Every structure is written in structure tokens, then in C-alpha cells.
Amino acid sequence: MPELLLQLFTPFFFFIFFLLPLFFFFFFLALQKNHKKVETHSSTTATAIPKAYPLIGSYFAFKANNNRRIQWLSDAVLASPNVTFTFHQLLGEKSIITANPATVQHILKTQFSNYQKGGNTLTTLSDFLGAGIFNVNGENWKFQRQVASHEFNSRSLRKFVEVVVEAELNQRLIPTLNDSQSQSKTLDFQDILQRFAFDNICKIAFGFDPEYLTPSLKDSNLTKAFEDAHIISTKRFREPLALVWKMKRKLNIGSEKRLRIAVSEVQEFARKIVREKKKELKEKASLDSVDMLSRFLTSGHSDEDFLMDIVISFILAGKYTTSAALTWFFWILSKNPRVEKEIMKEIREKSEGVRVYEEVKDMVYTHAALSESMRLYPPVPMDDKDAMKNDVLPDGTIVKKGMSVAYHVYAMIGLSFDLKGG
Ligand code: HEM
Ligand SMILES: *[C@@H]1O[C@H](CO)[C@@H](O)[C@H](O)[C@H]1NC(C)=O
Ligand SMILES: *[C@@H]1O[C@H](CO)[C@@H](O)[C@H](O)[C@H]1NC(C)=O
Ligand SMILES: *[C@@H]1O[C@H](CO)[C@@H](O)[C@H](O)[C@H]1NC(C)=O
């Protein structure tokens, strides 16, 4: 009997586990080729909850809106009951995206331990992030978080503002802008701010100066590699089946080949920073300034791979967030001359140019404008977690173990106040 069953089932299993995936693999490869065409064609798709079909879910609507993913999901979330959207993906897979304040609190606070980084997230990002803070849970996360938290106490922040940012401003950012004005040269301001943020974060966290914002504005292989590694890794999430990128990785083709090259360049850079810091610590008995990397090293962690991962996660954490925040801020200021004028007035009134850190704290209007800009254009518009166990969200949505549950910060701007209150 078992043999007969086996005979019957072998072709069936062959079909399910081999032919079907293979079919999907080429199907999606082909889809990717047509990708550009679909994108431009449908950037004006109506805003609402996308229809979900058996097997394919809302895959085609998702694909068609790939170039406005955040806005599209925001529209779907805001149109959903209780502003929690259940997104139907391929082969019956579901994920949840919410803008419901009670649910956000549930995920990030009250049920924090149930919403961590799950297996899918971990494997998708591990080539790039390894065991860095963004890609670990539990004790390892806690340890990294604890060491990193020193970076955000007021003494570190003061040093950040008074020493690092001040020098980067006076020696690099302002001269660059001044030059461009006196030579009537156009600058890509987002690029400038990314360079600014990259230099700052490396200096504050590792005591290392990459000199990326220099007058020549040279392309740096490193930041290009960083960009590639970041973009390709996160695009893996948008692959309808993880199998597709996994096979591309196995075959070392296309984007996965580029990823491998980019990651090894980034790792080489991070490793160099770690080695130099180790040498420096050995040579000097006491340090005049303690950066985060030194703190990790002196807390008994000397494993080079681990420290390399920490360095990479930190650059990622600091670079895109601050530069996105600043880019949106200056963009929105350029559209609001009245606010710009108020800010200029406040800066003139409150700065004596000596106690920069205290002066900045007094600039309440500027602070409010920056906060408002980040509310309207959150630098991290969406963030994903994975459910460790089955759960029911405060808005009534049922969550199954392993499901991805994301909170959509950008969508939350669209909430009415009575929902916020309740
Ligand atoms: C405007 C600036 C920034 C924004 C909007 C921002 C936003 C965020 C968000 C949304 C998270 C994820 C939280 C979560 O998943 O629960 C995060 C995590 C983190 N950020 Fe930032 N961030 C900013 C600047 C920075 C800077 C400058 C640094 C480092 C110097 C930094 C270091 C980190 C670290 C280490 C984590 C991981 C924390 C953890 O997993 O516990 N961030 N940030
Ligand atoms: C700005 O550029 C002008 C002309 O190139 C120069 O004379 C001036 O010193 C510069 N100012 C700053 C703050 O760099
Ligand atoms: C940067 O990359 C280019 C092309 O990949 C290479 O020719 C060049 O030597 C690299 N430069 C540095 C400084 O690594
Ligand atoms: C909305 O949330 C309430 C609980 O706050 C729940 O009773 C209700 O069923 C939810 N509505 C939908 C359509 O999910």
C-alpha cells in the first residue's frame, strides 16, 4: 500500500516541488522584464483597497504600483476598516499593515516581545546586515542596544553637535553651498545631505572620517556599494516568492551577483574601520574620546565579523534617516517662505555662536518646524515586524504566527482626530 501511494505521489510531488516552483521562477523573471512598462502605465491607479483574487492575491495591483508603494499602501490602509489592511499576497500569504494607534502601541509596546524580526526578515537581510542590531532579537539585540544607547545620552549628543556636526558644517557643508552659489552651480541637495550624514555618522560612531562631503564631490565606491547593498537587499522583500532571489543567489546572477560584490566591498570597509580601531586601542592607554566602536571593543567583544556587522547596521541607521529628514525639511521650507523667514529670525535672535548646544535647545520654532516636517514626511515611513505567536490585534484583526505586521507611519497623517483619541 505505501509503495502504491508513493508511486502515485511521486509525480505529484515532483510537480508541486519542482516543476511548479520552476514555472513560477521563470514566470516572475519574465514579469520583471516587463516591469518598467507596467509601472509607468498604471501610476494613476484608483486609490482604494485592492481586490484580492485566489492564489495571486493582490499581486498585480501591487506590482503595478511598485513605484508608489508607500502611497498605495497608505491609501489601502486608510480605506480599510479600523485602518488596518490585510494584504493578500501570492499563494494565500497574508500580511498586515496598520495605521491604527491602538494597534501600533500593541505591536511596539504592550506586546513588544511578540513582534520581533522573524525568520523571513532575518534571512532576507542577513547577507547584508549579518548579526547587526537591525537583524537580531533577544539577548544579542539587548546588548547592542545597551551599548548603542550611550550614543544618545546628552553628553554624547553635545559632543555630536559641538564637535562633529560643527566641523562638518563649517569646513564642508557651508563652503560647498557657498561655492555653488558663487559659481552659479546647481547641486543635488539630497546627495549633498547624504554625504553630510555619512561623514557625521562615521565620525560620531567610529571616530573615522570618510571625507565624503569634499568640494570635489567625488563618487565614492564605498557609498555606491552601500547604496547597492541596501537597495538590492530590501528589494528582496518585494519579490513575490523568496525562492526567486534565493535561486538567483545560488546561480550568482543579476542583482544577486551585484549584491555579493557590493556587500563584500562594504564589509571590507567596515573591517578596516574595526582593525584600525583595535590598533588604536592597543597603542593608546587611554582614549581622549570614546566612540561607540571603542565601547564595544572594551566591553570584551573583539570578534571582527560581529563588530563589522555592528558598523554596517549603524551606518544604515544614521545615514538615510537623517539625510531624508533634512532633505524633506529643506524641500518643504522652500515651499513655505513664511516659515523660512520665522526660522531665520529665530536663529538670528537666539544665537551668539558660543553655546551652540544650548542655543539650539532654545530654538523652539525651528524645532517645531523640523518636527512637523518629519510628521508630514516621516524618514522611515513604514516598519515591519513579524508575529512570534498567534494574536488578535486591538482592532479585531486576527494575526497568525509568522505573519508580517507593519505599521505605516506615513498613513497615520491621514487619520482623523477622533480615531487618534480612541
Ligand atoms: C531622523 C533621524 C532618525 C529617524 C527618523 C530614525 C528612525 C528609526 C526607526 C523607525 C527605527 C526602527 C525602530 C523599530 O524597528 O522599532 C530606528 C532604529 C534605530 N536607529 Fe534610528 N532614526 C534616526 C536617526 C538615527 C541615528 C542618527 C542613529 C545613530 C547614530 C540611529 C540609530 C538607530 C539604531 C541603532 C536603531 C536600532 C534600534 C533597535 O533595534 O533597537 N538612528 N530608527
Ligand atoms: C564664500 O565664497 C566667497 C567667494 O568665493 C568667499 O569670498 C567667502 O569667504 C566664502 N564664505 C564662506 C563662509 O565660505
Ligand atoms: C572604484 O571602482 C572602479 C570601478 O569599479 C575601480 O576602477 C576603481 O579602482 C575603484 N576605486 C577605488 C578607490 O577603489
Ligand atoms: C474595529 O474594531 C473594533 C474593536 O475596537 C471591532 O469590534 C470591530 O469588529 C472592528 N471592525 C472591523 C471591520 O474589523
Side-chain angles (χ1 to χ4, degrees), residues 374-389:
M374 284 202 280
R375 186 182 73 86
L376 293 171
Y377 300 99
V380 182
M382 274 179 73
D383 187 24
D384 279 30
K385 307 279 172 191
D386 301 284
M388 300 292 112
K389 287 187 290 198

Side-chain angles (χ1 to χ4, degrees), residues 133-134 141 145 152 201 314 317-318 321-322 325 374 379-380 383 385:
I133 188 166
F134 281 129
W141 168 77
R145 169 98 182 192
F152 303 100
I201 189 71
F314 236 75
T321 48
T322 43
M374 284 202 280
V380 182
D383 187 24
K385 307 279 172 191

Side-chain angles (χ1 to χ4, degrees), residues 174-175 178-179 182:
I174 295 171
N178 188 35
D179 282 358
S182 54

